[in-house]
Amino acid sequence: MSSQNARLETGGFVPFYRSYTKTWIHAVATAGLTAFGTLTIVHRWFAALALASYVVPPIVLYLRHGRNDDRADADRGASTPERDESPTESEPESDTPKSESNHAEPESEPSGSSRAEPDATDTRDALESPPSSDDDGESIAADGTADAAVRDAREKPEPESEREWHAVEAPTDATLRDAAVAAADDTAESSAAYAVGDGGIVLADDGDEWTTVLEDGPAAGGNDLRGVDATADGAAVWIAGDSGAVGRIDAETGRHTDFTAPEDITDNWLGVAVGGASGAETVLLINGSGAVLRGTYGADGDGRALEWTGPEKPGSGSSLSGVAFADDAVGYCCDTNDGVFETTDGGESFDRVGLEGADGTLTDVATAGRDDCLVSADDGVVHRYDGPTWTPERVADDALTGLARREERAMACAADGAVHERAGGAAGWKRTDTDAAGALLAVSLGAARAVAVGEDGTIVARG
């Protein structure tokens, strides 16, 4: 029996209506009943349309279908007796050649003399959905479309935002406190990632494996490192940490230059931000006294020169907890007393832009440009700045320890080992549980990869 005849059984209105409720026309009629019924709040005459949309279709189809079946039965009774009846109750094949029919059906299914009746053909074409499979009733056409979609999904590379986080074996079990993805362009092959941590450890990964660049810091003093950032072209990396530790690493050669204790300052540097490309670098260092030290590194007549200015305190003196550059001019820093400060001249001066009334202590800052700043807090909230307005966004229940931005995308890592991501400015935050062995303390986001680091040498990566 064809799928069409199975849907519209004959032998009375009740069997017909039972089969009719399984067709798409019944679904449309039901939708019409609901839609017009809802509109009765506008005008009560919509109730008549609601009833008509539900009642008229089965009556019309029953009258037409029953009449066409009677004609088909009469035609079959007048047909030649040489035709064999199928043991599966399929109707005898029509004398009309298949090439002249409006649609093709499997040979084991009936063509029926109803094909010679235009009304019956039109009615059944309108009702008939693609043939059902024997197992689950889904159409062959739908299966083909689904198979094609699966093949396309397998052939197309998965978007970076949907790749899974995975744990990475690190050559240390020291706590890693900051990370930076140094990407020259949008390909994973051209980007490297760096991580720094306790004991002065500096790790690097060019996409193959993580290796140790420095074991005990830029001055070989074994002081803990707390910050790392890369130039815009990824050609140089700056590191900073306790007892005034500061250093610069050439990404191509791996060689480092020690600049520890700039301006004879041996304070603990809690973070570092770099603006500009290699050879035209602006460096900001922050400390626990709320001060920012600004450095410029570039070429002069005799080679390379590094000059420091400051330190200056943009706020009240509370400990600064995060610093970030969007480019060589625009940057932000935040402190532990709800202070967020903006620079538009490469760190020569700062203006306070917020924040008021935050319940948690600010932990990190990230930016994609002027009037576009995110600040994380240890109560799981991210505060978004879009010019004059600050908007809090609940991201997690646990403390957010690190924050990263790249264009519209943002990431935050948490003490429970989770990473939270937002694909765009209007999108919500999505949580991903990583297999991190310890708490995550920092995250960095590149075009083709992302890295988060934390306690006990924990590194999780994506891309």
Side-chain angles (χ1 to χ4, degrees):
M1 180 182 292
S2 69
S3 60
Q4 171 181 315
N5 291 336
R7 285 190 180 89
L8 296 179
E9 299 176 1
T10 58
F13 184 81
V14 173
F16 169 86
Y17 188 81
R18 186 185 301 112
S19 58
Y20 161 77
T21 58
K22 301 178 182 178
T23 66
W24 62 270
I25 292 182
H26 176 263
V28 173
T30 303
L33 174 65
T34 302
F36 288 121
T38 303
L39 291 175
T40 56
I41 64 175
V42 178
H43 197 286
R44 63 183 179 180
W45 285 108
F46 278 106
L49 290 176
L51 294 175
S53 66
Y54 188 80
V55 173
V56 172
I59 294 177
V60 173
L61 292 176
Y62 175 74
L63 294 177
R64 296 185 66 184
H65 183 72
R67 183 174 66 252
N68 291 331
D69 280 347
D70 291 340
R71 293 178 183 176
D73 291 338
D75 291 343
R76 285 194 293 271
S79 62
T80 178
E82 280 85 2
R83 297 178 182 174
D84 296 332
E85 294 186 359
S86 170
T88 60
E89 297 182 3
S90 62
E91 297 176 5
E93 184 174 349
S94 171
D95 291 336
T96 303
K98 290 185 178 180
S99 60
E100 298 177 3
S101 64
N102 292 334
H103 58 277
E105 295 180 356
E107 293 183 0
S108 61
E109 295 182 356
S111 299
S113 59
S114 62
R115 294 192 179 183
E117 296 289 337
D119 291 343
T121 301
D122 293 343
T123 301
R124 294 187 178 189
D125 285 344
L127 291 171
E128 185 174 359
S129 62
S132 303
S133 67
D134 292 336
D135 294 331
D136 54 12
E138 294 182 357
S139 67
I140 295 174
D143 289 343
T145 302
D147 291 342
V150 171
R151 288 194 299 270
D152 291 343
R154 291 175 178 174
E155 293 172 359
K156 294 179 181 180
E158 188 177 18
E160 193 276 337
S161 61
E162 295 180 2
R163 297 174 188 169
E164 293 184 356
W165 288 88
H166 58 278
V168 178
E169 184 177 355
T172 183
D173 57 2
T175 293
L176 301 174
R177 300 191 178 275
D178 199 10
V181 175
D185 54 36
D186 289 348
T187 62
E189 290 76 11
S190 65
S191 65
Y194 294 83
V196 299
D198 290 357
I201 190 74
V202 179
L203 306 179
D205 169 45
D206 59 2
D208 296 326
E209 63 178 352
W210 289 82
T211 57
T212 301
V213 177
L214 294 175
E215 293 185 354
D216 49 12
N223 299 305
D224 295 346
L225 296 177
R226 301 181 181 276
V228 58
D229 199 13
T231 57
D233 55 6
V237 178
W238 286 80
I239 56 178
D242 291 356
S243 299
V246 180
R248 182 182 186 273
I249 300 174
D250 184 280
E252 182 177 359
T253 65
R255 296 183 60 181
H256 79 280
T257 303
D258 177 34
F259 294 115
T260 295
E263 297 296 286
D264 296 326
I265 300 173
T266 57
D267 293 347
N268 294 339
W269 302 118
L270 304 181
V272 59
V274 183
S278 176
E281 302 151 50
T282 300
V283 183
L284 299 181
L285 301 172
I286 59 174
N287 65 17
S289 300
V292 179
L293 182 66
R294 179 178 185 267
T296 56
Y297 178 86
D300 62 8
D302 298 325
R304 298 291 181 183
L306 175 62
E307 295 183 358
W308 298 99
T309 57
E312 301 292 340
K313 293 185 178 182
S316 62
S318 296
S319 177
L320 292 170
S321 53
V323 61
F325 263 126
D327 50 39
D328 58 355
V330 177
Y332 292 86
C333 61
C334 63
D335 66 21
T336 57
N337 193 33
D338 294 354
V340 182
F341 310 93
E342 178 188 62
T343 179
T344 57
D345 54 14
E348 293 185 26
S349 63
F350 284 87
D351 294 318
R352 183 184 176 105
V353 293
L355 174 71
E356 303 296 339
D359 292 332
T361 300
L362 304 184
T363 57
D364 203 2
V365 63
T367 177
R370 187 171 185 178
D371 295 337
D372 186 0
C373 172
L374 297 177
V375 181
S376 59
D378 63 1
D379 60 350
V381 173
V382 168
H383 300 271
R384 173 170 50 86
Y385 176 68
D386 56 3
T389 306
W390 284 93
T391 303
E393 300 176 351
R394 168 63 60 184
V395 175
D397 294 327
D398 294 297
L400 298 176
T401 52
L403 196 60
R405 284 287 302 277
R406 184 178 179 86
E407 298 176 351
E408 290 297 315
R409 296 162 56 206
M411 282 185 180
C413 62
D416 62 355
V419 174
H420 304 264
E421 182 174 5
R422 189 185 68 184
W429 290 85
K430 178 182 178 182
R431 174 190 173 98
T432 300
D433 291 315
T434 70
D435 51 1
L440 296 178
L441 302 179
V443 63
S444 183
L445 176 60
R449 66 191 306 189
V451 174
V453 299
E455 296 177 350
D456 303 321
T458 295
I459 301 177
V460 292
R462 193 181 69 184

